[in-house]
Each structure stands twice: as C-alpha cells, then as structure tokens.
Amino acid sequence: MSKIGFIGLGIMGKPMCRNLLKAGYELVVYNRSPKAIQELVQAGAEAGESPKDVAERCEIIITMLPNSPNVQEVILGPNGVLEGVRPGSIVIDMSSIAPITSREVAQVLVHKSVRFLDAPVSGGEPKAIEGSLSIMVGGDPADFEECSPIFQAMGSSALLCGDVGAGNLTKLANQIIVAINIAAVSEALMLVSKAGVNPETVYKAIRGGLAGSTVLDAKAPLMIERRFDPGFRIGLHIKDLNNVLETGHEIGSPLPLTASVMEMMQVLKAQGLDQADHGALVQYYEKLAQKELN
Ligand code: NAD
C-alpha cells in the first residue's frame, strides 16, 4: 500500500484521515496549526514538518484546504509540495476551489511528471466521519482507477466527471443548486408564515410532491426551529459562489440566480452571520418581511 501524505486537517480533513488510517493506510500529516497534527499522531499517523517534507516521504499527497490561494501556496509556494514531490507521484486536491486553479496547478506539476486529480466532496462533516462522502473527480481515467481504493476509504461514491477541473465544476454546480434551493425554501416558507399559515404544516404538505428536495428536508425543519448553528457556514458558501461567478463570467455563462443569492448572503455576512449555517438565509427574508418565520 502506498504511503499517503495529507495536508489540511480541518473539519473535513481530520475525519477523512481517520478513515484512511482505519482502512490500513500509512499517513504523514501536516496542518498550519499543529494541534490537529498531534491529534492524528495519537491516532497512528506520522507528523510532517512542511508540505515539502510530506511530499518527499509519500507517493500520494492529498490536500484538503479552504480555497484556491491556500492550494496554490501549499502546492506551489515556498517549502511546498512541488519542492519535495518525486516524479510519478499523484497529488489529489480534495478542496473545493476554482476549476481554473486546478488546471493551473496540474500544468505546473506535469513538468515534474507528477499526476493530478481534483476531487472535491459533498456531504459535510457527518459524512466525512461516516466515510460516506460523494467525491467528484477530474483527471486521467487511469489515475482515477489507481486512486479508487483511497476514495472508497473516505466516500460512498466517487465519479470521474471529466478532465482536470471537472471535479470542481461539478462541485460548483452542486453549490448553485443548493444555494438557490435554500433561497426558494426561505422565500416560500416566509410567504405562508406572513399570511398566517403554519410553515411546518406547509412543509409537511409539500415535501412528498415535486417541490420536495434533500435541501427542503434538511433545512426547512431547522429554519422552523430557528436553529442556525453550522453545518455549512455562510462564509464558505460565499467562497464557493465567488468561484461560481468568476468561472461563469470567464466562459460567458450568465448566472442571474446565483448572483441574487450571493448578494443575500453578502447582506447576512455584513450583519455578522458568516459563521452561521447557510439555512440562516431565511433571516434575510425575515428582515424583509419584518417577521420571524415561526
Ligand atoms: P477548515 O477551515 O476546517 O480546514 C482547513 C484546514 O486547512 C485548517 O486546519 C487550516 O489550518 C489548514 N490550512 C489552511 N491553510 C494552510 C496552509 N497554508 N498550510 C497548511 N494547512 C493549512 O475547512 P473544512 O471545513 O475542512 O473545508 C475544507 C474544504 O472542504 C473547503 O474547500 C470546503 O469548502 C470543503 N467542504 C467543506 C464542507 C463542510 O461541511 N465543512 C463540506 C464539503 C466540502
């Protein structure tokens, strides 16, 4: 079994590492703040000194970082993966970033005969812990096949979506649909609430029909209970929608609905809610209608 390097031990990276250890992989881990490294060393991983050191010691290097600049820094920056990585290795970036950055990083790595897959995930912390993430991959089919057992240790599905960048494009599509769906649920429930009809009854009445969705089932009950602890933070969703808008503008694919929901999220961020769950979008409508949902 190849030794795996894992860089970025946050909400997602830590449980993903635990599942790799459970599956029998040897791990060398690195993170900016050292506390997470120690936790994983106690679970059986080796500590890395830097991204360069991790890359020197492993043939497969996974990154799970917040956004494009972090991935560029860790892979291409000083003391980064590029400085230590050996020809023939594979870098798998599982962060949700701009597809153009995935392609740029891959183009640099290829000069050192290093292969690259972009493989963002959906499912959040609970599914990262369970090992049942959905993994969307871009890259070469043979590299994807080679890494399939690694994906299986962290997820319940891994699908090759196209060339490098296609994994992150798929993730952007996912984030558009989730954001607009949450806005639609908020708008609809606020209407009935303002009109004096119980939003919970409306939710139960419509969830089995065409308006039913995973988002409706996940978010409507929390909105009705006014529970906004994350989950998936508004700040992270803003990051994803930024990547959506930049990508769409670059290729000439307009995104009017995404742009509207982005501005709603910006209002909430300005009000200090960027750490709240993205279901807190209903609070935007509460302010407009001057009424709490429930
Ligand atoms: P996080 O902020 O909890 O973790 C990121 C980790 O990266 C932190 O531990 C940080 O210390 C480390 N880091 C940042 N810059 C670094 C650097 N230069 N060198 C070394 N370490 C560095 O984020 P997360 O929630 O784990 O999310 C990671 C990625 O997964 C993001 O792209 C996010 O959008 C995506 N994602 C998150 C969720 C979720 O529910 N949290 C769900 C799906 C996808």
Side-chain angles (χ1 to χ4, degrees), residues 105-189:
V105 169
Q107 276 163 16
V108 176
L109 289 172
V110 83
H111 291 301
K112 235 182 150 179
S113 302
V114 173
R115 299 170 284 162
F116 181 86
L117 296 171
D118 61 314
V121 306
S122 85
E125 189 184 20
K127 294 205 169 188
I129 293 170
E130 253 175 45
S132 60
L133 293 166
S134 299
I135 307 174
M136 307 149 230
V137 188
D140 181 81
D143 298 340
F144 172 71
E145 276 308 310
E146 196 175 323
C147 295
S148 279
I150 295 173
F151 293 135
Q152 275 164 28
M154 295 182 282
S156 54
S157 80
L159 201 71
L160 183 66
C161 303
D163 295 337
V164 168
N168 271 305
L169 266 172
T170 308
K171 175 71 184 181
L172 293 185
N174 185 80
Q175 295 306 78
I176 292 174
I177 292 168
V178 171
I180 294 171
N181 219 318
I182 292 176
V185 169
S186 303
E187 194 164 301
L189 293 184

Side-chain angles (χ1 to χ4, degrees), residues 7-13 30-33 51 64-67 70 73-74 94-97 121-125 171 231-233 236 239-240:
I7 304 168
L9 311 173
I11 293 178
M12 300 294 286
Y30 179 73
N31 192 58
R32 193 162 46 191
S33 51
M64 190 53 168
L65 300 157
N67 200 7
N70 312 93
E73 183 192 341
V74 163
M94 302 192 75
S95 329
S96 304
I97 66 167
V121 306
S122 85
E125 189 184 20
K171 175 71 184 181
F232 191 74
R233 295 191 300 271
L236 272 184
K239 177 264 296 183
D240 289 334

